[in-house]
Amino acid sequence: MEKHIELLSPAGNVEKLAYAYAYGADAAYIGLKKFSLRVKADNFYEDEYKKVIDLKNRYPGKRLHCALNISFHDEEIDALKSNLDYFKQYPIDAFIVQDIGIVPLLQKEFPNTELHLSTQASCVNSEAVKMYKSLGFSRVVLGREISIEQIKRIKDSVPDMELETFVHGAMCIAYAGRCLMSAYLTGRSAQSGFCSHTCRWNFNVSGAMDADSAKILAQSGLLTLEEEQRKGEYFPIYEGEDFTAVLSSKDLRMIEHLADLRDAGIDSLKIEGRMKSIYYVAMVTRAYRKALDALEGRISNEEAAPFIAELDNVAHRESTTGFYYNKADADKTTSGASDSKYQLAAEIGDEVTGARFEALLAESTKRYEDAQAELNAMHPAAREARLKDLEIHSDRRIIPFQKKEGWHMYECSAMNMIRTEDDIEFVSPDFCSLTVPAGEWELISTETGLKVNWVCDGHPAVVYLPYELPKASLLRTLDPDYVEGKIRDTGR
C-alpha cells in the first residue's frame, strides 16, 4: 500500500483553521500569542480552544500542530511556564520547536504530544536528524536550504524519522529565515516573531546625481548588487511605482514536483502562510489536496488540473522551486508585491430553510404591503413625487423577494462590495468554480427581507440562487483595482 503524505496547512486564527480542514488539509498549524514566529497573525487566545475542540470533533482524524518556534529568552520561558495550564486546554497533537531549551519542559508537561523540529533550526543533514531523534523529536521540518538529493540521503540514514518540508508560499532571503535586517532597522526581531519584512520595503535609490536621473537608472533594471567575495553572483535592484525591490525572494511552488518529494521520502508537505487570507488558505490547500489525490491515485490528473490552475488566481509573486533542484533557482529575486485579480467578497454560511426562510419571506411581504398601503394613502401629487424619487434612487425601492422553486438561500457574510449588476463566482471544496451571471441571483437583507442592489461588510444579507452550494463555499469577485501586468502593493 502506498504511503499517505500529510498535507499541512497554515491557520492564523480559528476561522482559517476551519477552512484549512474543510478544503482538504490533513493537519493545520497554529500559533499561540507571544510564542510564535508570526505574532502579527491573529493566533489563538482566550477561550478559542473551545472552538478548536469543536472543529476537531467536526473533522475527526484531522491533526493540530502548534508552533512554539521563537528563540526563547529567560523571561519568555517564564511566560511559557505560567501559560501551561492554558495550553493544555487545546487538543494539540504536536509542538513545532526550534529552541531545545524548552524541550524538557514540553516533554514533562505534554508527555503524549509529539515534538517536531522547526525549520528555523536549519536541520539539513542526517547526523543532526539522528541527534534530534535521540532528544525525542518524532519529526524534522527540514531547513529550506536542502535539496531533493539531500532529503533522500537523510531518509535512507534515518528511515523512522518523519520528514516535513515546505512546498508553497513566501520565502525569506535570509538563511532559514534568521534575518537580522528587521532587528537592525526597526528593533523588531524576526526571531521573536516580529519580522517587519524589511527586504520588501520601499528603499530609495540615490547617488551622485539628481533625483530624476537616479530614478531613471533604478527603473532601467541595470542596477545590481554583487557581494565582494562572490564575483559573478548578481542580485537585481529594480524600482517600480512606489517601491524598490532589493532582496525580495520569489515564492516557493512545488505542486508540479510532488512525486519527487514523495520519492525522496517526505512524510508531510507544508504550506506557508499563517498571515495570509482565508481565500489563500482555502485555495492553496485545495490545489495541493487535489494534486496529492492525483499523485496517490484517488482522482485523475485531468480532474486535478483545474484546481491546480486556480493557484494563479491567488495572490502570489513569481515562483521558484527554491533549493530543491538548483541553488541558482533560489538566488533569483523578484520585484513587487503579491497580487491576484480576484478578491474574496463573502463567506457563505448555512442554508436558510424551513421556519427561518418562511419568517424572512413573511417579513418581506409585510414590508412591501405596508409600503404599498402608505403609497396608496398619499395625496396624488405626493405619491407622484415619491414615485419619481424612487425611480431616481433605486436603492430606496421596496422590492420583496418571491419564493422560487429549485432556488437555495444561503447566509452571506460580505467582506467586500457585492453588486447584483455583476457576475459572481463561487469556489468550494467540492467544485472548482461556479459563475452565476447578473440577473440570475438575488441579494436579500436579513433585516428587512427585501431585495437589495448591493451589500458590503456590516450589511447582513443572504444570497438567493438556483444552485446548491457545498459547506464552506466562498464567493469571490473580480478586484476592480487589479490591472493585468501592473504591480500594486496590496499588503499581502
Side-chain angles (χ1 to χ4, degrees), residues 331-343:
D331 284 344
K332 295 173 183 176
T333 56
T334 188
S335 59
S338 59
D339 210 351
S340 168
K341 68 178 181 180
Y342 285 104
Q343 62 182 3

Side-chain angles (χ1 to χ4, degrees), residues 185 279 478:
L185 291 177
Y279 181 68
L478 291 171

Side-chain angles (χ1 to χ4, degrees), residues 196-261:
S196 56
H197 302 282
T198 312
C199 59
R200 296 187 175 111
W201 279 7
N202 302 332
F203 294 93
N204 289 321
V205 176
S206 60
M209 60 180 72
D210 62 82
D212 288 339
S213 298
K215 186 172 183 178
I216 291 171
L217 177 60
Q219 291 178 336
S220 70
L222 297 175
L223 289 178
T224 59
L225 290 177
E226 182 185 30
E227 204 276 324
E228 183 180 19
Q229 300 300 318
R230 292 165 176 79
K231 299 296 184 183
E233 293 188 22
Y234 300 105
F235 294 92
I237 299 175
Y238 177 77
E239 182 166 312
E241 187 175 339
D242 301 325
F243 75 90
T244 301
V246 182
L247 292 171
S248 182
S249 60
K250 292 184 178 182
D251 284 358
L252 181 64
R253 173 176 167 143
M254 284 292 288
I255 199 163
E256 290 84 8
H257 308 281
L258 301 187
D260 289 346
L261 292 171

Side-chain angles (χ1 to χ4, degrees), residues 66-352:
C66 177
L68 295 177
N69 54 350
I70 67 169
S71 295
F72 282 81
H73 295 270
D74 280 330
E75 58 270 23
E76 289 162 335
I77 291 181
D78 292 339
L80 175 62
K81 290 177 180 177
S82 67
N83 281 277
L84 287 173
D85 288 340
Y86 170 66
F87 289 174
K88 289 177 181 178
Q89 297 177 99
Y90 281 85
I92 296 169
D93 297 295
F95 286 113
I96 306 169
V97 177
Q98 71 149 317
D99 192 330
I100 61 172
I102 66 168
V103 168
L105 176 64
L106 294 177
Q107 289 173 325
K108 176 185 176 184
E109 299 292 338
F110 301 89
N112 298 316
T113 304
E114 296 176 9
L115 287 178
H116 294 178
L117 184 71
S118 170
T119 190
Q120 296 291 122
S122 303
C123 185
V124 291
N125 67 75
S126 55
E127 295 305 316
V129 171
K130 291 174 185 176
M131 187 273 291
Y132 285 113
K133 184 175 184 295
S134 71
L135 292 177
F137 284 86
S138 61
R139 179 182 295 186
V140 168
V141 187
L142 295 165
R144 299 200 195 193
E145 297 75 25
I146 203 164
S147 70
I148 292 283
E149 290 303 316
Q150 290 167 335
I151 293 171
K152 289 180 181 176
R153 180 170 176 176
I154 290 173
K155 193 64 173 182
D156 289 342
S157 298
V158 199
D160 53 347
M161 174 64 88
E162 291 184 357
L163 300 180
E164 177 181 308
T165 193
F166 279 90
V167 291
H168 197 90
M171 295 198 301
C172 181
I173 201 70
Y175 192 89
R178 295 200 296 272
C179 179
L180 298 178
M181 288 180 69
S182 180
Y184 178 74
L185 291 177
T186 68
R188 291 166 49 181
S189 171
Q191 296 312 293
S192 295
F194 292 94
C195 180
S196 56
H197 302 282
T198 312
C199 59
R200 296 187 175 111
W201 279 7
N202 302 332
F203 294 93
N204 289 321
V205 176
S206 60
M209 60 180 72
D210 62 82
D212 288 339
S213 298
K215 186 172 183 178
I216 291 171
L217 177 60
Q219 291 178 336
S220 70
L222 297 175
L223 289 178
T224 59
L225 290 177
E226 182 185 30
E227 204 276 324
E228 183 180 19
Q229 300 300 318
R230 292 165 176 79
K231 299 296 184 183
E233 293 188 22
Y234 300 105
F235 294 92
I237 299 175
Y238 177 77
E239 182 166 312
E241 187 175 339
D242 301 325
F243 75 90
T244 301
V246 182
L247 292 171
S248 182
S249 60
K250 292 184 178 182
D251 284 358
L252 181 64
R253 173 176 167 143
M254 284 292 288
I255 199 163
E256 290 84 8
H257 308 281
L258 301 187
D260 289 346
L261 292 171
R262 175 201 61 194
D263 295 344
I266 289 298
D267 299 280
S268 179
L269 304 177
K270 190 170 194 173
I271 297 168
E272 180 276 337
R274 272 187 291 138
M275 292 173 61
K276 297 291 181 65
S277 68
I278 287 170
Y279 181 68
Y280 172 95
V281 171
M283 298 299 284
V284 176
T285 297
R286 188 182 71 167
Y288 277 83
R289 174 75 276 144
K290 298 299 183 181
L292 271 177
D293 286 347
L295 181 67
E296 296 174 354
R298 286 183 288 277
I299 62 174
S300 68
N301 290 329
E302 291 72 25
E303 289 173 301
F307 294 94
I308 295 171
E310 282 288 335
L311 284 178
D312 291 333
N313 291 326
V314 181
H316 64 285
R317 298 177 180 85
E318 289 183 279
S319 63
T320 176
T321 54
F323 292 86
Y324 287 119
Y325 298 102
N326 187 332
K327 179 179 178 293
D329 294 336
D331 284 344
K332 295 173 183 176
T333 56
T334 188
S335 59
S338 59
D339 210 351
S340 168
K341 68 178 181 180
Y342 285 104
Q343 62 182 3
L344 178 58
E347 295 178 63
I348 301 302
D350 294 334
E351 185 171 2
V352 178

Side-chain angles (χ1 to χ4, degrees), residues 6 21 35 116 184 268 272 321 356 369 391 421 457:
E6 177 187 85
Y21 286 159
F35 303 107
H116 294 178
Y184 178 74
S268 179
E272 180 276 337
T321 54
R356 287 180 65 199
E369 291 175 348
E391 187 176 338
E421 64 192 63
D457 186 22

